[in-house]
């Protein structure tokens, strides 16, 4: 149960001015510039954070480089790194509600989801990788007699991590957990509109005993701080979650600098396919609604395209609309809220733009208007758009908002063709009672994760990564270590 009195007390708690964390110390921007943190709850100014400069990014990278090269972290016994990371996870858990509320005031996610998915999930992720730190073995190769081939797994060096605003701690921890457990050092750039909770947990890392320079956080604009990280000659690995256009820029920057390895997670246009033989249409409607509308649709794996077998199309859309109408949208610090605020005015206008365009093209729209404008916050009623054509922008482009595009299909083949008919390949779902069909579709749909009779919720034990233009590389599970560990061969004559 959420402690509503505590949440109300935290709702108005003053927020300290943010500071970079560089080499274990709080720092302002080199030129003193700051940016305002606007709360999506009511449009008020929460605090300021440094508007980081290229020099700030370079100072953080230099600190991370020194910390990596002198072995203060990579040279520790893995069990010693584990102990620090476990302590860090504990501190995050101890302050979970405070951190969650701070994050909600910054990015607008509903508190129930935020608490679970942000500090608590981040702590769980850090703990998962901490526990694995001293279980990463090398290999002995099956060579011919006369030689010994050893395959070492070594920390890859300095990691640049650029993360988005929808789940800053969850996604941040997906990068930080394996990178730090592997022995890498990190320079993290949070999104402009969701930096506060990451700054807070970076301070807790110092309290947990993480040596200075191992985890550095630099706030500011993507085109300045993010770009400096991407172009650095001293960053070995760049990991990113965000938009496709930024992902392309990062690959270019890597190509133009030191060919650092770049791992991208770029969102999707994920198909949620409901067959007439779905085991429970009410359950499917409920889960499908949350699969797109939780966190106001600002979820990379959101099931933003609903493909429904024509025989049940109208019935299912009616059930879905009923569920959607029952969702409470509004104040994200009210535990009864199902979907909180949209992250920013810019994002809200973008979401509304998709709805206006769909209406203008003659599509039927249920919901989809700005609401609660009198609060000064950024709120939107979930939108269900029916009659969508595969060529519509709403069927092809990621909205990253509470906007669902619905399309009917007649056959399994047509469902697969529609499902695979975008540039993305992140997530999908299939609702059916036919086990063979479920397995067939798992194979035929090009996506990093295919849910069956559910949507969302895969835990840390399974990988998350996209195919096609949804990205490369995987977060989560032990596979995530591959990004942060280099293979080194020792070839020894016996
Ligand atoms: P979103 O649409 O989710 O905001 P972005 O790709 O714009 O996606 O942002 C994700 C992260 O990428 C943010 O931390 C942002 O500051 C950063 N970013 C944006 N533009 C650039 C850039 N040119 N170079 C590096 N990082 C960037």
């Amino acid at each position: 149960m959420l402690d509503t009195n505590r949440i109300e007390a935290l709702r108005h708690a003053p927020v300290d001015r943010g500071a970079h964390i560089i080499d274990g110390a709080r720092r302002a921007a080199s030129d003193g510039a700051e940016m305002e943190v606007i709360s999506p709850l009511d449009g008020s100014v929460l605090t300021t954070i440094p508007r980081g400069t290229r020099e700030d990014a370079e100072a953080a990278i230099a600190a991370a480089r020194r910390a990596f090269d002198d072995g203060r972290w990579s040279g520790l016994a893995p069990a010693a790194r584990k102990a620090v990371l476990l302590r860090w996870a504990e501190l995050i858990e101890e302050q979970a509600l405070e951190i969650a509320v701070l994050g909600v005031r910054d990015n607008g996610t509903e508190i129930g989801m935020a608490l679970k998915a942000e500090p608590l999930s981040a702590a769980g992720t850090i703990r998962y990788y901490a526990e694995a730190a001293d279980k990463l073995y090398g290999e002995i190769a099956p060579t011919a007699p006369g030689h010994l081939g050893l395959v070492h797994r070594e920390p890859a060096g300095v990691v640049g991590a650029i993360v988005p605003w929808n789940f800053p701690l969850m996604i941040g921890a997906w990068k930080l957990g394996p990178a730090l457990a592997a022995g890498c050092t990190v320079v993290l750039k949070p999104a402009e509109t969701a930096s506060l909770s990451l700054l807070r947990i970076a301070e807790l890392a110092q309290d947990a005993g993480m040596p200075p320079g191992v985890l550095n956080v630099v706030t500011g604009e993507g085109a300045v701080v993010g770009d400096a990280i991407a172009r650095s000659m001293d960053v070995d690995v760049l990991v990113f979650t965000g938009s496709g256009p930024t992902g392309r820029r990062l690959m270019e920057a890597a190509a133009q600098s030191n060919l650092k390895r770049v791992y991208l997670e770029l969102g999707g246009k994920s198909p949620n396919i409901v067959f007439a033989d779905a085991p429970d249409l009410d359950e499917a409607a409920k889960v499908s609604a949350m699969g797109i509308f939780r966190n106001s649709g600002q979820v990379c794996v959101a099931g933003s395209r609903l493909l429904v077998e024509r025989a049940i199309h109208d019935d299912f859309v009616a059930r879905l609309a009923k569920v959607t109408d029952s969702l409470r949208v509004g104040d994200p610090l009210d535990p009864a809220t199902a979907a909180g605020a949209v992250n920013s005015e810019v994002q809200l206008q973008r979401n509304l733009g998709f709805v206006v365009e769909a209406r203008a093209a003659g599509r039927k729209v249920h919901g989809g208007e700005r609401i609660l404008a009198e609060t000064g916050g950024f709120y939107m009623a979930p939108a269900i758009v029916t009659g969508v054509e595969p060529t519509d922008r709403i069927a092809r482009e990621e909205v990253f908002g509470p906007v669902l595009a619905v399309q009917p299909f007649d056959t399994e083949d047509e469902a697969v063709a529609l499902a695979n008919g975008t540039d993305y390949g992140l997530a999908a779902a299939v609702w059916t009672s036919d086990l063979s069909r479920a397995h067939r579709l798992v194979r035929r749909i090009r996506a990093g994760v295919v849910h069956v009779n559910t949507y969302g919720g895969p835990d840390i034990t399974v990988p998350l990564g996209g195919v096609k233009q949804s990205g490369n590389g995987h977060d989560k599970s032990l596979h995530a270590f591959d990004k942060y560990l280099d293979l080194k061969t020792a070839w020894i004559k016996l």
Side-chain angles (χ1 to χ4, degrees):
M1 270 304 285
L2 287 168
D3 180 345
T4 45
N5 291 335
R6 183 92 187 101
I7 292 172
E8 284 312 309
L10 291 166
R11 176 196 290 277
H12 301 293
V15 182
D16 288 346
R17 177 176 287 193
H20 302 314
I21 306 289
I22 299 177
D23 216 3
R26 289 169 60 88
R27 296 246 195 105
S30 61
D31 61 2
E34 297 186 325
M35 51 208 288
E36 288 183 337
V37 176
I38 308 289
S39 177
L41 278 63
D42 56 9
S44 65
V45 178
L46 258 187
T47 183
T48 60
I49 51 173
R51 185 181 294 277
T53 60
R54 285 192 170 268
E55 292 70 37
D56 297 337
E58 279 154 18
I61 293 164
R65 185 82 258 165
R66 280 193 303 276
F68 184 77
D69 290 348
D70 71 14
R72 73 185 79 164
W73 185 245
S74 61
L76 290 181
R81 287 201 297 272
K82 169 166 89 171
V84 172
L85 292 170
L86 288 177
R87 177 73 190 126
W88 187 26
E90 217 173 86
L91 292 178
I92 294 171
E93 261 172 4
E94 278 169 22
Q95 300 189 22
L97 190 60
E98 285 81 351
I99 296 170
V101 173
L102 180 68
V104 169
R105 294 171 72 192
D106 195 2
N107 88 335
T109 302
E110 54 279 2
I111 184 67
M113 157 80 82
L115 182 63
K116 202 167 66 172
E118 286 281 284
L120 294 180
S121 139
T125 296
I126 291 164
R127 186 170 288 128
Y128 174 87
Y129 290 106
E131 293 288 0
D134 56 357
K135 299 166 192 74
L136 297 168
Y137 290 79
E139 293 167 0
I140 299 175
T143 56
H147 286 90
L148 176 62
L150 300 180
V151 184
H152 295 262
R153 298 172 88 190
E154 298 187 333
V158 175
V159 173
I162 302 178
V163 296
W165 41 260
N166 55 335
F167 291 107
L169 294 186
M170 176 169 73
I171 294 172
W174 288 348
K175 323 286 189 201
L176 295 175
L180 294 169
C184 294
T185 59
V186 180
V187 176
L188 176 87
K189 197 209 90 66
E192 293 84 329
T193 54
S195 296
L196 300 178
S197 55
L198 276 164
L199 288 172
R200 177 69 63 86
I201 72 159
E203 292 197 38
L204 294 180
Q206 318 296 314
D207 297 345
M210 196 173 288
V214 172
L215 170 58
N216 307 274
V217 182
V218 183
T219 61
E221 288 166 13
V224 179
V225 175
D227 189 68
I229 294 170
R231 290 184 186 281
S232 169
M233 298 301 285
D234 261 331
V235 170
D236 301 293
V237 176
L238 183 59
V239 288
F240 171 73
T241 298
S243 67
T246 303
R248 278 175 208 277
R249 275 192 211 107
L250 298 183
M251 282 199 148
E252 281 172 21
Q256 289 162 1
S257 55
N258 65 343
L259 292 173
K260 58 182 68 63
R261 276 175 273 154
V262 182
Y263 298 99
L264 306 173
E265 203 272 79
L266 303 177
K269 191 78 209 178
S270 299
N272 180 25
I273 310 172
V274 182
F275 285 91
D277 67 356
D280 178 344
L281 287 180
D282 282 324
E283 169 74 3
K286 209 170 84 195
V287 176
S288 298
M290 289 317 283
I292 172 65
F293 298 135
R294 69 199 158 116
N295 200 16
S296 301
Q298 303 166 136
V299 180
C300 55
V301 295
S304 54
R305 284 188 297 149
L306 177 68
L307 311 180
V308 195
E309 190 165 350
R310 197 179 302 275
I312 58 160
H313 177 276
D314 294 354
D315 172 34
F316 191 73
V317 169
R319 289 178 205 238
L320 189 80
K322 197 166 151 217
V323 176
T324 303
D325 290 345
S326 74
L327 297 178
R328 181 136 158 207
V329 182
D331 176 15
L333 288 176
D334 179 344
T337 293
V342 173
N343 179 254
S344 64
E345 179 71 34
V346 173
Q347 186 62 38
L348 176 62
Q349 292 304 330
R350 186 180 139 80
N351 299 345
L352 295 170
F354 273 94
V355 172
V356 168
E357 185 178 308
R359 269 214 184 90
R363 312 301 172 231
K364 210 171 131 203
V365 183
H366 180 93
E369 60 282 347
R370 182 174 199 157
I371 55 171
L372 302 169
E374 68 281 4
T375 62
F378 317 136
Y379 299 96
M380 177 174 172
I384 302 172
V385 185
T386 46
V388 172
E389 293 292 332
T391 48
D392 289 359
R393 211 160 66 88
I394 208 173
R396 313 184 68 80
E397 290 182 22
E398 185 176 50
V399 178
F400 218 61
V403 180
L404 179 65
V406 186
Q407 296 170 260
F409 68 84
D410 289 300
T411 65
E412 191 176 306
D413 282 347
E414 190 190 353
V416 171
L418 284 171
N420 288 336
T422 72
D423 293 334
Y424 290 111
L426 188 57
V430 180
W431 296 82
T432 178
S433 299
D434 180 339
L435 186 63
S436 302
R437 168 186 275 159
H439 283 293
R440 273 196 306 274
L441 266 76
V442 166
R443 288 187 181 211
R444 293 181 71 192
I445 293 172
R446 296 196 61 201
V449 52
V450 182
H451 306 85
V452 177
N453 294 336
T454 187
Y455 204 103
D459 66 20
I460 189 68
T461 63
V462 288
L464 173 68
V467 296
K468 303 199 295 189
Q469 291 181 35
S470 285
N472 56 9
H474 289 87
D475 285 325
K476 300 171 60 190
S477 84
L478 296 180
H479 293 287
F481 274 120
D482 293 347
K483 305 197 289 288
Y484 308 106
L485 290 166
D486 278 336
L487 299 180
K488 179 189 276 175
T489 294
W491 184 249
I492 300 163
K493 190 168 185 318
L494 298 178

